[in-house]
Amino acid sequence: MTELLLNHLGGRAQAGTGQGTILVDPVLGTELVRVDATGLDLAAGFAFARDHAGPALRALTYAQRGEMLAAAGKVLQARRDEYYAISTANSGTVRNDTAVDVDGAIFTLGAYARSAATLGARTHLVDGDAVSLSKDASFQSQHVQVPTRGVALFINAFNFPAWGLWEKAAPALLSGVPVIVKPATATAWLTQRMVQDVLEAGVFPPGALSVICGSSAGLMDQLKPFDVVSFTGSADTAAVIRSHPAIVRASVRVNIEADSINSAVLLPGEASGSASFDLFVKEVAREMTVKSGQKCTAIRRMFVPESLFDAAAEAIAARLQKNTVGNPRNDSVRMGSLVSRAQFDAVRAGLSGLKAHARTLYDGDTQALVDADRAVACCMGPTLLGATDPDANALVHDTEVFGPVATLMPYRDLPHALQLVQRGQGSLVASLYGSDNAALGSCALDLAASHGRVHAVSPEVAASHTGHGNVMPQSLHGGPGRAGGGEELGGLRALNFYHRRAAVQGAQAVLSQIH
Amino acid sequence: MTELLLNHLGGRAQAGTGQGTILVDPVLGTELVRVDATGLDLAAGFAFARDHAGPALRALTYAQRGEMLAAAGKVLQARRDEYYAISTANSGTVRNDTAVDVDGAIFTLGAYARSAATLGARTHLVDGDAVSLSKDASFQSQHVQVPTRGVALFINAFNFPAWGLWEKAAPALLSGVPVIVKPATATAWLTQRMVQDVLEAGVFPPGALSVICGSSAGLMDQLKPFDVVSFTGSADTAAVIRSHPAIVRASVRVNIEADSINSAVLLPGEASGSASFDLFVKEVAREMTVKSGQKCTAIRRMFVPESLFDAAAEAIAARLQKNTVGNPRNDSVRMGSLVSRAQFDAVRAGLSGLKAHARTLYDGDTQALVDADRAVACCMGPTLLGATDPDANALVHDTEVFGPVATLMPYRDLPHALQLVQRGQGSLVASLYGSDNAALGSCALDLAASHGRVHAVSPEVAASHTGHGNVMPQSLHGGPGRAGGGEELGGLRALNFYHRRAAVQGAQAVLSQIH
């Protein structure tokens, strides 16, 4: 029987007592490891984190916690090759796609370790300046942010087992809040291994970082008023979480990142073959294929002026044609597999739904798979769709097919383009391509109301822009409406979620004690 | 038949088509006016606010919107006497208690009008500095806050028909977000009149401010992803709101202010009769009687060192004894009535529940009512309870009796006191009384994790402190956990709720367009 991965909870390793769920290599179909959370004493584990790890973390300064993050980053860096191997086996990713997850995690951890230095030898944050509440200024108000006295529960998605853990854990632990992560079962191995490695290295106080692999049953029931929960995944599961009594009754703070039908817009006035046109085409093709389109931030809808529809379709298709799909262990392969048979089937079903309302402009399934058996491997080529009447087409604005699929649409003028983008009802990111800085700026402001991030690409940043779908720790990650309404990252803004804000009112001599 | 108050929705006055609900004078029992929302086209009304008033407001700068708030304040100031009369008739308040609501509303409106000037001739906010995302600094990230493109629905409480409207509407309108307020039916008159007066004065664009009086049926169903909803009231209704599909499915942003079992703590080391002791006693007695204890922020639990329990009980009782209860039209009356028979009955029931677990240290019902008929008037005297075993007494930490009722408890030492305060599971405000500035500062920081505001009273601020229960616009109003997890006011922090944050990434030449 395959190895049963251990859970880490309550400051110790704990094996589930059930048969477990088998994790599978999505390319070869082989069994890898098992995960199981049966029989864990969740209440005791959560209480240990809340009552032991929390006070231990909060007794440290931000600078000291930052040093722990740096130490964790070193542990991960030293084991990087193992993580690449796990990612290839469990997620079916080529090296470049593994890097987005694993190196992205280490980079984000490092960014928070460095930013801790700016917070220094403090154990709480001062929020703004004191203001006087009395005419003689003897009585004043000073806001503070103090770490919440609970645990942070992360219910994570399958597509980023490494980055998805650390982009949330870094600000939580820096804030002094213990973390309990429940990775998505299909790809839980990498999360479990990273947590285990960091725990074995003794980087954090006991109970500060826990991992529970397997079923999420009962996890939400453990939450108390000062805990927080952060979820990344489907809108359906998000609705279940938001309806839970912990949220509804106990005001447990919740952060949701759910479906997002992200857009890319080529602004008017850019000719076919212009620098902006080429940047748009390149980025669209890249976003469709990176991690086989399994990024919450990936471009799903592309908007171009009507006159450029055919040229854009041809140019994107030409790029996609150079793509090679198959076994990530073969160096000639550019795109590996989807993470599981279930995801493969879901993407197929979604694509089939979209195809009923769109033309297929490029069909990646005409390509042969490299070194992979189509009957076994969860591989599929990228598919470019086209919808020439985007006003009448509701489905394309509403459907997130979580794979290498995107739809090209024509717009009449800029207001029409912006209106179509907003049919997504709130998204994580939109990208704009053009050479008119004023137009880029005003469009970005317009889309800021419905997006967590707007990414403007002009020819002068051709070499330096960070990519539509790449989430930089310095920038907000999250989006309103359909995207879940959450806020992550954004530099030190991420710490807000793990702190409680309060106004302290008193004499200056009292307020001077809390600076 | 009594006058039927008009709703204002969709940019016009609209009468409900039903019989309506009668509003009653809680002291005299006479019928005042009727409210009714039957037959309103809510969808059209919300759409008008969202699609007409929103763009009109957002086209203005913060400074221009601030001028509108100032103009609204002038309208209210000119009609102040009428509002006092409505408050006395509909809420049964004495002049001092009316002032907390009416003058508090005008003051808060003025504070936001003035703060608008600091935001200037802008239509969006810049959030922090730009940071570089590339080695050569050619590609950067700049966060902005832009007004949300929806409406703000307020479902308000009965205890502050004036302040409860304007403390929310001022930051919403300043942010460029249209407001639709549904006041609690029992005291809806004052809210309705204020809105009507401001609308008739033509202060705001059509549809920017709406009022719906009567049933809240169907209101939540109108909400779309970029709308926000703010609720003040019971935990039970809060749970219904939080479970609504608009919140759960569409990520409509929600702010909740619910039950709060606020505390006052006399720190150790203050003798009976000391300045701090006297400040504590005075504030407790004041908080119990202001607005007949019908403030979300009122002191419900008082903690004193064991050795001072009897002295504190006597001193508070002595102050309460000087109180006079009855018809607010009689100048000798210090405390009027509860707002309605329903509230009177609820407070009686709550008090009776607490009495089963506490001693009565002072029973205000032994006092005669002044100028009021006990069979008709919803008047009750203040009641001081005592619970000498606060560790074993769960009820007193869990029960918010929304009237002139509070419970005194002894503590062993400071850690014990702080632990007892936190049995409230998150509150709006705690106040501390003492002369040791270091102790006041460290206790305030400790309680900041579970309170939206901590109010420290030392002898030097005896004359200048703003009161435990008074909500200053400069300070945060809200609290975690049982208190609902909301954040209101706090100066310009209030604008966050009505804005959407986004990171704009681009070339410096693009970002310079959005400054």
Side-chain angles (χ1 to χ4, degrees):
Chain A
M1 206 141 71
T2 57
E3 179 195 352
L4 178 66
L5 301 184
L6 294 173
N7 304 289
H8 292 272
L9 183 67
R12 61 194 172 91
Q14 302 191 46
T17 56
Q19 278 296 93
T21 304
I22 294 165
L23 273 52
V24 175
D25 183 316
V27 176
L28 306 179
T30 50
E31 299 187 353
L32 298 169
V33 290
R34 282 177 304 133
V35 296
D36 186 56
T38 312
L40 297 184
D41 186 343
L42 295 178
F46 276 65
F48 185 86
R50 206 180 278 122
D51 302 336
H52 289 84
L57 283 171
R58 292 196 300 271
L60 303 171
T61 65
Y62 293 94
Q64 289 171 320
R65 293 180 213 134
E67 286 163 20
M68 294 193 312
L69 297 186
K74 273 187 196 160
V75 171
L76 300 183
Q77 188 67 45
R79 308 261 176 127
R80 188 166 162 271
D81 290 348
E82 292 170 51
Y83 304 144
Y84 268 63
I86 291 174
S87 183
T88 299
N90 196 184
S91 293
T93 46
V94 297
R95 286 191 66 84
N96 277 348
D97 290 352
T98 302
V100 178
D101 189 27
V102 171
D103 296 350
I106 296 172
F107 177 73
T108 301
L109 200 44
Y112 279 95
R114 283 189 299 279
S115 69
T118 67
L119 302 175
R122 319 179 49 83
T123 55
H124 71 276
L125 302 175
V126 172
D127 179 20
D129 297 325
V131 293
S132 176
L133 298 179
S134 62
K135 280 184 184 156
D136 62 1
S138 66
F139 192 73
Q140 306 204 347
S141 174
Q142 171 68 59
H143 287 78
V144 294
Q145 293 249 40
V146 299
T148 193
R149 296 189 184 170
V151 302
L153 172 65
F154 301 154
I155 302 177
N156 275 5
F158 61 78
N159 55 336
F160 281 104
W163 177 82
L165 163 62
W166 293 107
E167 64 104 5
K168 296 185 186 193
L173 292 165
L174 178 55
S175 299
V177 178
V179 166
I180 298 172
V181 61
K182 210 303 278 182
T185 299
T187 59
W189 193 7
L190 183 52
T191 306
Q192 189 272 350
R193 177 64 71 85
M194 285 180 148
V195 170
Q196 187 162 282
D197 287 346
V198 167
L199 292 182
E200 285 176 359
V203 167
F204 297 111
L209 183 57
S210 302
V211 61
I212 298 172
C213 301
S215 165
S216 63
L219 290 178
M220 290 292 297
D221 299 334
Q222 300 306 324
L223 296 179
K224 295 185 185 297
F226 298 96
D227 297 334
V228 303
V229 57
S230 183
F231 169 74
T232 302
S234 75
D236 286 341
T237 307
V240 171
I241 288 174
R242 272 229 177 84
S243 308
H244 190 277
I247 311 298
V248 167
R249 285 269 165 197
S251 304
V252 165
R253 200 181 269 174
V254 60
N255 192 84
I256 301 274
E257 198 224 289
D259 302 356
S260 179
I261 329 289
N262 311 295
S263 306
V265 182
L266 176 63
L267 295 194
E270 310 295 339
S272 169
S274 67
S276 297
F277 179 92
D278 290 348
L279 284 165
F280 168 81
V281 168
K282 183 180 171 189
E283 192 65 5
V284 166
R286 204 174 71 86
E287 280 291 309
M288 286 180 67
T289 53
V290 169
K291 283 181 74 63
S292 301
Q294 297 169 108
K295 297 209 321 291
C296 311
T297 52
I299 297 171
R300 309 294 178 197
R301 298 179 294 152
M302 294 83 75
F303 300 97
V304 296
E306 284 171 343
S307 61
L308 293 180
F309 183 83
D310 291 338
E314 271 174 44
I316 297 168
R319 280 204 163 253
L320 294 177
Q321 204 147 19
K322 291 188 210 153
N323 192 56
T324 45
V325 186
N327 190 329
R329 293 160 188 88
N330 184 312
D331 285 343
S332 73
V333 166
R334 301 266 295 275
M335 191 167 105
S337 74
L338 299 179
V339 300
S340 67
R341 180 56 51 184
Q343 275 308 305
F344 181 87
D345 292 343
V347 170
R348 282 280 165 209
L351 176 56
S352 154
L354 281 184
K355 275 184 171 173
H357 297 264
R359 270 196 295 152
T360 301
L361 300 176
Y362 175 79
D363 183 355
D365 282 335
T366 56
Q367 294 181 316
L369 296 188
V370 178
D371 233 6
D373 177 355
R374 215 177 264 282
V376 175
C378 304
C379 293
M380 65 179 283
T383 297
L384 178 67
L385 301 174
T388 46
D389 187 1
D391 292 307
N393 198 324
L395 197 74
V396 73
H397 303 293
D398 286 346
T399 308
E400 186 188 43
V401 176
F402 209 71
V405 177
T407 307
L408 183 69
M409 288 171 268
Y411 67 81
R412 289 187 300 276
D413 51 25
L414 194 50
H416 185 219
L418 296 175
Q419 184 194 323
L420 289 171
V421 169
Q422 279 158 359
R423 293 276 299 266
Q425 296 280 309
S427 303
L428 295 173
V429 53
S431 53
L432 305 169
Y433 304 80
S435 54
D436 178 342
N437 291 330
L440 287 167
S442 69
C443 286
L445 263 187
D446 189 273
L447 294 178
S450 51
H451 292 76
R453 181 162 60 87
V454 184
H455 183 80
V457 179
S458 48
E460 64 172 304
V461 298
S464 63
H465 85 91
T466 50
H468 165 107
N470 286 338
V471 176
M472 302 298 286
Q474 298 92 334
S475 291
L476 185 74
H477 176 57
R482 184 198 302 272
E487 289 198 350
E488 297 176 1
L489 298 173
L492 292 176
R493 291 173 187 83
L495 275 58
N496 290 343
F497 184 65
Y498 305 100
H499 283 71
R500 298 283 172 183
R501 182 184 276 134
V504 179
Q505 298 180 168
Q508 270 185 296
V510 173
L511 299 188
S512 70
Q513 305 287 324
I514 62 169
H515 270 290
Chain B
M1 205 139 73
T2 56
E3 180 195 351
L4 178 66
L5 302 184
L6 294 172
N7 304 289
H8 293 272
L9 183 67
R12 62 197 172 89
Q14 302 192 46
T17 56
Q19 280 295 94
T21 305
I22 294 166
L23 274 51
V24 175
D25 184 315
V27 178
L28 307 177
T30 50
E31 299 187 352
L32 299 169
V33 290
R34 283 177 303 134
V35 296
D36 186 57
T38 312
L40 297 184
D41 185 343
L42 295 178
F46 275 65
F48 185 86
R50 206 180 280 123
D51 302 336
H52 290 85
L57 283 171
R58 292 196 302 272
L60 303 171
T61 66
Y62 293 95
Q64 289 171 321
R65 293 178 213 136
E67 285 164 20
M68 294 193 311
L69 296 185
K74 273 187 196 162
V75 171
L76 300 184
Q77 188 66 45
R79 308 262 177 125
R80 189 165 160 270
D81 290 348
E82 292 170 52
Y83 304 143
Y84 267 63
I86 291 174
S87 183
T88 299
N90 195 186
S91 293
T93 46
V94 296
R95 285 191 66 83
N96 277 347
D97 290 352
T98 301
V100 178
D101 189 28
V102 171
D103 296 351
I106 296 172
F107 177 74
T108 302
L109 201 44
Y112 279 95
R114 283 188 299 279
S115 69
T118 67
L119 302 176
R122 319 179 50 83
T123 55
H124 71 276
L125 302 175
V126 172
D127 179 20
D129 297 325
V131 293
S132 175
L133 298 179
S134 62
K135 282 182 185 160
D136 61 359
S138 66
F139 192 72
Q140 307 204 348
S141 173
Q142 171 67 59
H143 288 77
V144 294
Q145 293 248 42
V146 299
T148 193
R149 296 189 183 171
V151 302
L153 171 64
F154 300 154
I155 301 177
N156 275 5
F158 60 78
N159 56 335
F160 281 104
W163 177 83
L165 163 63
W166 293 106
E167 64 105 5
K168 297 185 186 194
L173 292 164
L174 178 54
S175 299
V177 178
V179 165
I180 298 171
V181 61
K182 208 306 276 182
T185 300
T187 59
W189 193 9
L190 183 51
T191 306
Q192 190 272 350
R193 177 64 70 86
M194 285 180 147
V195 171
Q196 188 162 283
D197 288 346
V198 168
L199 292 182
E200 284 175 359
V203 168
F204 298 111
L209 182 58
S210 301
V211 61
I212 298 172
C213 301
S215 165
S216 63
L219 289 179
M220 289 292 297
D221 300 333
Q222 300 306 325
L223 297 179
K224 296 186 184 294
F226 298 95
D227 296 335
V228 301
V229 57
S230 183
F231 169 74
T232 302
S234 75
D236 286 342
T237 307
V240 171
I241 287 174
R242 271 227 179 85
S243 309
H244 191 277
I247 313 296
V248 167
R249 285 269 163 198
S251 303
V252 165
R253 200 182 269 174
V254 59
N255 192 83
I256 302 274
E257 199 222 289
D259 302 357
S260 179
I261 330 290
N262 311 295
S263 306
V265 182
L266 177 62
L267 294 194
E270 310 295 339
S272 169
S274 66
S276 295
F277 180 93
D278 289 348
L279 285 165
F280 168 82
V281 167
K282 182 179 172 191
E283 191 66 6
V284 166
R286 204 173 70 86
E287 281 291 309
M288 286 180 67
T289 53
V290 170
K291 284 183 73 70
S292 301
Q294 298 169 108
K295 297 210 316 292
C296 312
T297 53
I299 297 170
R300 308 293 179 198
R301 298 179 294 153
M302 295 81 77
F303 300 97
V304 295
E306 283 171 344
S307 61
L308 293 179
F309 183 83
D310 291 339
E314 270 175 44
I316 297 167
R319 280 202 163 256
L320 294 177
Q321 204 148 22
K322 291 188 209 153
N323 192 56
T324 45
V325 186
N327 190 328
R329 293 162 188 87
N330 185 313
D331 284 341
S332 72
V333 166
R334 301 264 295 275
M335 192 169 104
S337 73
L338 299 179
V339 300
S340 67
R341 181 55 51 184
Q343 275 306 306
F344 182 86
D345 292 344
V347 169
R348 282 282 166 207
L351 177 57
S352 154
L354 280 184
K355 275 184 171 172
H357 298 263
R359 271 196 296 153
T360 301
L361 301 176
Y362 176 80
D363 183 355
D365 281 336
T366 57
Q367 295 180 318
L369 296 188
V370 177
D371 235 7
D373 177 355
R374 216 178 263 283
V376 174
C378 305
C379 293
M380 66 178 281
T383 297
L384 178 67
L385 301 174
T388 47
D389 186 1
D391 292 307
N393 198 323
L395 198 74
V396 73
H397 304 293
D398 287 346
T399 308
E400 185 187 44
V401 176
F402 209 72
V405 177
T407 308
L408 184 68
M409 288 171 267
Y411 68 79
R412 290 188 300 277
D413 51 24
L414 194 51
H416 186 217
L418 296 174
Q419 184 195 322
L420 289 171
V421 170
Q422 279 158 0
R423 293 276 299 268
Q425 296 279 309
S427 303
L428 294 173
V429 54
S431 53
L432 305 169
Y433 304 80
S435 55
D436 178 341
N437 291 330
L440 288 167
S442 69
C443 286
L445 264 188
D446 189 274
L447 294 178
S450 51
H451 292 77
R453 181 163 59 88
V454 184
H455 183 80
V457 179
S458 48
E460 66 172 302
V461 298
S464 62
H465 85 91
T466 49
H468 164 107
N470 286 337
V471 177
M472 303 297 286
Q474 299 92 334
S475 291
L476 185 73
H477 175 56
R482 184 199 303 274
E487 290 197 348
E488 296 176 0
L489 298 173
L492 292 177
R493 291 173 187 82
L495 274 58
N496 290 342
F497 184 66
Y498 304 100
H499 283 71
R500 298 284 171 183
R501 182 184 275 133
V504 179
Q505 299 179 166
Q508 270 185 298
V510 173
L511 299 188
S512 70
Q513 307 286 323
I514 62 169
H515 271 289

mmCIF file of all heavy atoms in Angstrom, chain B residues 124-142:
data_model
loop_
_atom_site.group_PDB
_atom_site.id
_atom_site.type_symbol
_atom_site.label_atom_id
_atom_site.label_comp_id
_atom_site.label_asym_id
_atom_site.label_seq_id
_atom_site.Cartn_x
_atom_site.Cartn_y
_atom_site.Cartn_z
ATOM 1 N N HIS B 124 -11.168 59.910 -6.736
ATOM 2 C CA HIS B 124 -10.780 58.613 -6.162
ATOM 3 C C HIS B 124 -9.630 58.849 -5.206
ATOM 4 O O HIS B 124 -9.034 59.927 -5.194
ATOM 5 C CB HIS B 124 -10.392 57.624 -7.261
ATOM 6 C CG HIS B 124 -9.080 57.944 -7.923
ATOM 7 N ND1 HIS B 124 -8.961 58.849 -8.949
ATOM 8 C CD2 HIS B 124 -7.824 57.492 -7.677
ATOM 9 C CE1 HIS B 124 -7.690 58.940 -9.313
ATOM 10 N NE2 HIS B 124 -6.985 58.135 -8.549
ATOM 11 N N LEU B 125 -9.314 57.845 -4.412
ATOM 12 C CA LEU B 125 -8.263 57.970 -3.404
ATOM 13 C C LEU B 125 -7.042 57.158 -3.809
ATOM 14 O O LEU B 125 -7.162 56.060 -4.357
ATOM 15 C CB LEU B 125 -8.772 57.472 -2.049
ATOM 16 C CG LEU B 125 -10.023 58.176 -1.504
ATOM 17 C CD1 LEU B 125 -10.497 57.505 -0.212
ATOM 18 C CD2 LEU B 125 -9.746 59.657 -1.273
ATOM 19 N N VAL B 126 -5.882 57.725 -3.537
ATOM 20 C CA VAL B 126 -4.634 56.998 -3.747
ATOM 21 C C VAL B 126 -4.292 56.310 -2.432
ATOM 22 O O VAL B 126 -4.376 56.906 -1.363
ATOM 23 C CB VAL B 126 -3.518 57.976 -4.182
ATOM 24 C CG1 VAL B 126 -2.173 57.275 -4.211
ATOM 25 C CG2 VAL B 126 -3.862 58.552 -5.557
ATOM 26 N N ASP B 127 -3.955 55.027 -2.498
ATOM 27 C CA ASP B 127 -3.735 54.213 -1.303
ATOM 28 C C ASP B 127 -2.254 53.834 -1.213
ATOM 29 O O ASP B 127 -1.802 52.899 -1.879
ATOM 30 C CB ASP B 127 -4.632 52.969 -1.422
ATOM 31 C CG ASP B 127 -4.478 52.016 -0.247
ATOM 32 O OD1 ASP B 127 -3.993 52.445 0.816
ATOM 33 O OD2 ASP B 127 -4.839 50.830 -0.402
ATOM 34 N N GLY B 128 -1.520 54.572 -0.422
ATOM 35 C CA GLY B 128 -0.098 54.282 -0.261
ATOM 36 C C GLY B 128 0.736 54.764 -1.436
ATOM 37 O O GLY B 128 0.237 55.435 -2.351
ATOM 38 N N ASP B 129 2.013 54.412 -1.388
ATOM 39 C CA ASP B 129 2.946 54.841 -2.430
ATOM 40 C C ASP B 129 3.096 53.762 -3.500
ATOM 41 O O ASP B 129 2.823 52.586 -3.253
ATOM 42 C CB ASP B 129 4.328 55.099 -1.813
ATOM 43 C CG ASP B 129 4.280 56.236 -0.800
ATOM 44 O OD1 ASP B 129 3.504 57.184 -1.015
ATOM 45 O OD2 ASP B 129 5.007 56.151 0.211
ATOM 46 N N ALA B 130 3.544 54.180 -4.666
ATOM 47 C CA ALA B 130 3.867 53.206 -5.710
ATOM 48 C C ALA B 130 5.105 52.421 -5.287
ATOM 49 O O ALA B 130 6.003 52.952 -4.628
ATOM 50 C CB ALA B 130 4.119 53.922 -7.032
ATOM 51 N N VAL B 131 5.126 51.133 -5.615
ATOM 52 C CA VAL B 131 6.321 50.316 -5.356
ATOM 53 C C VAL B 131 6.760 49.690 -6.675
ATOM 54 O O VAL B 131 5.943 49.376 -7.531
ATOM 55 C CB VAL B 131 6.055 49.202 -4.311
ATOM 56 C CG1 VAL B 131 5.794 49.788 -2.942
ATOM 57 C CG2 VAL B 131 4.901 48.317 -4.736
ATOM 58 N N SER B 132 8.062 49.502 -6.788
ATOM 59 C CA SER B 132 8.587 48.952 -8.032
ATOM 60 C C SER B 132 8.417 47.438 -8.060
ATOM 61 O O SER B 132 8.598 46.756 -7.053
ATOM 62 C CB SER B 132 10.071 49.301 -8.168
ATOM 63 O OG SER B 132 10.579 48.652 -9.313
ATOM 64 N N LEU B 133 8.053 46.926 -9.229
ATOM 65 C CA LEU B 133 7.933 45.474 -9.401
ATOM 66 C C LEU B 133 9.034 44.936 -10.311
ATOM 67 O O LEU B 133 9.065 43.745 -10.607
ATOM 68 C CB LEU B 133 6.564 45.125 -9.997
ATOM 69 C CG LEU B 133 5.335 45.506 -9.153
ATOM 70 C CD1 LEU B 133 4.057 45.115 -9.886
ATOM 71 C CD2 LEU B 133 5.382 44.853 -7.785
ATOM 72 N N SER B 134 9.906 45.832 -10.770
ATOM 73 C CA SER B 134 10.976 45.371 -11.656
ATOM 74 C C SER B 134 12.293 45.980 -11.178
ATOM 75 O O SER B 134 12.307 47.009 -10.517
ATOM 76 C CB SER B 134 10.689 45.798 -13.097
ATOM 77 O OG SER B 134 10.659 47.204 -13.191
ATOM 78 N N LYS B 135 13.389 45.332 -11.554
ATOM 79 C CA LYS B 135 14.697 45.789 -11.072
ATOM 80 C C LYS B 135 15.006 47.211 -11.518
ATOM 81 O O LYS B 135 15.623 47.968 -10.786
ATOM 82 C CB LYS B 135 15.786 44.831 -11.564
ATOM 83 C CG LYS B 135 15.813 43.557 -10.713
ATOM 84 C CD LYS B 135 16.913 42.602 -11.125
ATOM 85 C CE LYS B 135 16.782 41.312 -10.308
ATOM 86 N NZ LYS B 135 17.470 40.180 -10.934
ATOM 87 N N ASP B 136 14.563 47.555 -12.737
ATOM 88 C CA ASP B 136 14.878 48.890 -13.245
ATOM 89 C C ASP B 136 13.803 49.921 -12.886
ATOM 90 O O ASP B 136 13.855 51.049 -13.339
ATOM 91 C CB ASP B 136 15.060 48.844 -14.770
ATOM 92 C CG ASP B 136 13.782 48.388 -15.473
ATOM 93 O OD1 ASP B 136 12.778 48.100 -14.772
ATOM 94 O OD2 ASP B 136 13.776 48.307 -16.707
ATOM 95 N N ALA B 137 12.815 49.495 -12.048
ATOM 96 C CA ALA B 137 11.744 50.393 -11.589
ATOM 97 C C ALA B 137 10.867 50.902 -12.718
ATOM 98 O O ALA B 137 10.069 51.817 -12.529
ATOM 99 C CB ALA B 137 12.308 51.564 -10.774
ATOM 100 N N SER B 138 10.990 50.312 -13.907
ATOM 101 C CA SER B 138 10.143 50.780 -15.015
ATOM 102 C C SER B 138 8.703 50.293 -14.857
ATOM 103 O O SER B 138 7.777 50.891 -15.402
ATOM 104 C CB SER B 138 10.705 50.296 -16.350
ATOM 105 O OG SER B 138 10.623 48.880 -16.446
ATOM 106 N N PHE B 139 8.507 49.210 -14.098
ATOM 107 C CA PHE B 139 7.167 48.663 -13.917
ATOM 108 C C PHE B 139 6.810 48.718 -12.433
ATOM 109 O O PHE B 139 7.552 48.211 -11.596
ATOM 110 C CB PHE B 139 7.113 47.218 -14.428
ATOM 111 C CG PHE B 139 5.704 46.684 -14.552
ATOM 112 C CD1 PHE B 139 4.866 47.147 -15.559
ATOM 113 C CD2 PHE B 139 5.220 45.734 -13.665
ATOM 114 C CE1 PHE B 139 3.571 46.654 -15.684
ATOM 115 C CE2 PHE B 139 3.927 45.253 -13.780
ATOM 116 C CZ PHE B 139 3.098 45.709 -14.788
ATOM 117 N N GLN B 140 5.689 49.364 -12.120
ATOM 118 C CA GLN B 140 5.369 49.634 -10.723
ATOM 119 C C GLN B 140 3.928 49.258 -10.383
ATOM 120 O O GLN B 140 3.106 49.015 -11.263
ATOM 121 C CB GLN B 140 5.595 51.124 -10.428
ATOM 122 C CG GLN B 140 6.991 51.605 -10.827
ATOM 123 C CD GLN B 140 7.431 52.828 -10.054
ATOM 124 O OE1 GLN B 140 6.626 53.458 -9.377
ATOM 125 N NE2 GLN B 140 8.705 53.145 -10.134
ATOM 126 N N SER B 141 3.660 49.242 -9.087
ATOM 127 C CA SER B 141 2.312 48.954 -8.583
ATOM 128 C C SER B 141 1.844 50.103 -7.708
ATOM 129 O O SER B 141 2.576 50.544 -6.826
ATOM 130 C CB SER B 141 2.337 47.647 -7.775
ATOM 131 O OG SER B 141 1.088 47.423 -7.153
ATOM 132 N N GLN B 142 0.644 50.580 -7.992
ATOM 133 C CA GLN B 142 0.054 51.670 -7.195
ATOM 134 C C GLN B 142 -1.357 51.253 -6.799
ATOM 135 O O GLN B 142 -2.167 50.911 -7.662
ATOM 136 C CB GLN B 142 -0.001 52.956 -8.022
ATOM 137 C CG GLN B 142 -0.790 54.088 -7.389
ATOM 138 C CD GLN B 142 -0.116 54.634 -6.126
ATOM 139 O OE1 GLN B 142 1.011 55.094 -6.201
ATOM 140 N NE2 GLN B 142 -0.799 54.534 -4.994
#
